[in-house]
DNA sequence: GCAAGTGTAAACTGATTGGTTCACTTCCAA
DNA sequence: TTGGAAGTGAACCAATCAGTTTACACTTGC
């Protein structure tokens, strides 16, 4: 584990440094961010920064790790009520889409992809805390729904992943490339409804 | 248009330069590639390189533009035979998946995303020559199949995009993050079959 | 009041990079 | 044969950046 080793967490300015680094790294990526810039944004001298973190790399890893933790907290509460699947899936899709299109997720995704070779562990961390966790929650619900006889699914994991993919339709790729920045509620709802419709066509109990 | 303006296309070494740049940029990205490195890879002096291209930026744009053009050539031939939709879709999905997972597509994708702010036009070019073109071809086939009564689709464009997304399930994201490098035929076929199955469940003529 | 711990500002090092210049060579066509 | 275009390689410049060091200031507790 690289975590927390070599990192001094005592001292008043620790959080400040982390916060400044978060801001700059998220805006500029790893290479794009200079340490001077980070120190300035954090309202801290470079020497202080280096008294907490041994180097830029470790600071970066720490920032992304913290962001991923945050992400885990925001994880969607799948209301496990016994509402009809269509309704529950629609709500879930709303959460998924809004997360995928969030500034936060988009930025982290870009950084993970851009820095893939330099920091292979970033992608894994993001994947585990983001898509994979979402899939797990979804699979949990689907599993319940199947035992309740509301759905008919052979491979639950795959179904969950297909649903996630369906939620990206027409939206995610355009956002990732910066082709489209804002999406109207109507656009989003249309995609969501169709995702649910297609999913139910395959997996809905007859 | 920035294209071709300020670029001298005469001279024996022009192609060499472009080829070297392609190699290095594709492997290292924009920032990651140094001009010296490119000149070396091209077997050309830095002065020569700069006699062709006014600066690194333009060289980069030229390289990626050429790559995107190439992509259009590889575009999938959708056999418009009147084979049953399931069969045609399975073949199409095979092409889509294999392209998405190719080293080529993965690299270009990464560069487009990473360099999104510096070169916004790259993403658009990639999107237009890749996903969008694929969608168009697919939509064309779907449209025919609908008139033939083999499928029932209201929004053909959306259906095509959903199919593309279904093809990514379980594979693409893992490849993009570098979590998984190689995928077995069995894995791929499984995903493809399920993509077709889900698609047909929604859009197959009853 | 003083010493230790924490922080600051700024200068500095060493390395890299994009881009330029220049003296020199190679090669081909008129 | 010769003149000019194309190419070479190495030195060079200015800028940027990670990381270090030094000399100084502030607080806090004893």
């Amino acid at each position: 584990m690289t975590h927390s080793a070599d990192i001094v967490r005592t001292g008043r300015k620790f959080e400040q440094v982390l916060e400044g680094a978060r801001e700059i790294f998220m805006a500029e990526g790893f290479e794009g961010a200079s340490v001077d810039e980070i120190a300035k944004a954090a309202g801290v001298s470079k020497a202080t920064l280096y008294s907490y973190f041994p180097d830029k790399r470790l600071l970066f890893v720490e920032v992304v790790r913290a962001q991923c933790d945050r992400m885990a907290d925001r994880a969607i509460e799948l209301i496990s009520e016994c509402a009809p699947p269509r309704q529950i899936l629609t709500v879930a899709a709303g959460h998924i889409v809004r997360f995928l299109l969030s500034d936060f997720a988009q930025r982290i995704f870009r950084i993970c992809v851009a820095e893939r070779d330099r920091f292979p562990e970033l992608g894994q961390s993001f994947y585990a805390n983001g898509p994979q966790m979402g899939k797990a929650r979804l699979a949990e619900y689907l599993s319940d729904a199947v035992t309740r006889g509301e759905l008919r699914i052979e491979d639950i994991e795959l179904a969950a992943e297909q649903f996630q993919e369906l939620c990206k339709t027409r939206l995610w790729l355009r956002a990732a490339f910066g082709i489209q920045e804002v999406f109207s509620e109507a656009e989003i709802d249309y995609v969501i409804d169709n995702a649910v419709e297609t999913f139910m066509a395959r997996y809905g109990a007859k």
Side-chain angles (χ1 to χ4, degrees), chain A residues 13 18 25 31 38 43 107 128 132 165 188 193 196 206:
Chain A
K13 305 291 181 87
L18 215 60
F25 276 136
E31 285 288 354
I38 290 172
R107 275 179 201 281
Q132 203 160 60
E165 291 300 328
I188 292 177
D193 289 344
V196 172
K206 297 289 154 8

Side-chain angles (χ1 to χ4, degrees), chain A residues 144-165:
Chain A
D144 290 352
V146 166
T147 57
R148 251 176 281 142
E150 296 168 354
L151 297 174
R152 276 215 334 236
I153 309 176
E154 318 85 60
D155 186 335
I156 288 180
E157 295 268 308
L158 186 88
E161 288 179 73
Q162 281 189 326
F163 187 68
Q164 288 180 315
E165 291 300 328

Side-chain angles (χ1 to χ4, degrees), chain A residues 137-148:
Chain A
R137 299 236 178 185
L138 198 52
E140 203 179 318
Y141 164 73
L142 293 179
S143 184
D144 290 352
V146 166
T147 57
R148 251 176 281 142

Side-chain angles (χ1 to χ4, degrees), chain A residues 38-65:
Chain A
I38 290 172
K40 207 175 101 189
V44 141
S45 78
K46 206 157 61 143
T48 300
L49 187 155
Y50 273 102
S51 79
Y52 287 122
F53 296 91
D55 62 16
K56 190 187 178 187
R57 252 189 85 98
L58 224 57
L59 175 54
F60 182 66
V61 170
E62 192 61 17
V63 163
V64 178
R65 209 183 53 75

Side-chain angles (χ1 to χ4, degrees), chain A residues 166-182:
Chain A
L166 284 170
C167 288
K168 293 186 190 169
T169 306
R170 187 171 280 183
L171 305 172
W172 186 82
L173 204 56
R174 300 176 69 83
F177 280 144
I179 292 172
Q180 193 174 347
E181 302 270 342
V182 289

Side-chain angles (χ1 to χ4, degrees), chain A residues 85-205:
Chain A
R86 262 203 160 69
Q87 189 180 324
I88 293 206
L89 286 174
T90 301
V91 172
H95 288 155
I96 292 174
V97 169
R98 262 162 267 273
F99 173 72
L100 286 174
L101 299 183
S102 69
D103 193 63
F104 167 75
Q106 289 279 323
R107 275 179 201 281
I108 287 220
F109 175 80
R110 273 166 58 192
I111 293 179
C112 287
V113 169
E115 245 58 65
R116 204 190 91 164
D117 293 326
R118 224 184 315 265
F119 304 104
E121 65 277 18
L122 285 189
Q124 311 207 12
S125 184
F126 179 75
Y127 184 76
N129 287 294
Q132 203 160 60
M133 184 160 298
K135 181 184 79 178
R137 299 236 178 185
L138 198 52
E140 203 179 318
Y141 164 73
L142 293 179
S143 184
D144 290 352
V146 166
T147 57
R148 251 176 281 142
E150 296 168 354
L151 297 174
R152 276 215 334 236
I153 309 176
E154 318 85 60
D155 186 335
I156 288 180
E157 295 268 308
L158 186 88
E161 288 179 73
Q162 281 189 326
F163 187 68
Q164 288 180 315
E165 291 300 328
L166 284 170
C167 288
K168 293 186 190 169
T169 306
R170 187 171 280 183
L171 305 172
W172 186 82
L173 204 56
R174 300 176 69 83
F177 280 144
I179 292 172
Q180 193 174 347
E181 302 270 342
V182 289
F183 299 87
S184 71
E185 287 299 309
E187 280 176 297
I188 292 177
D189 287 345
Y190 183 70
V191 169
I192 289 176
D193 289 344
N194 273 282
V196 172
E197 199 62 42
T198 298
F199 186 86
M200 289 302 290
R202 165 92 195 265
Y203 298 113

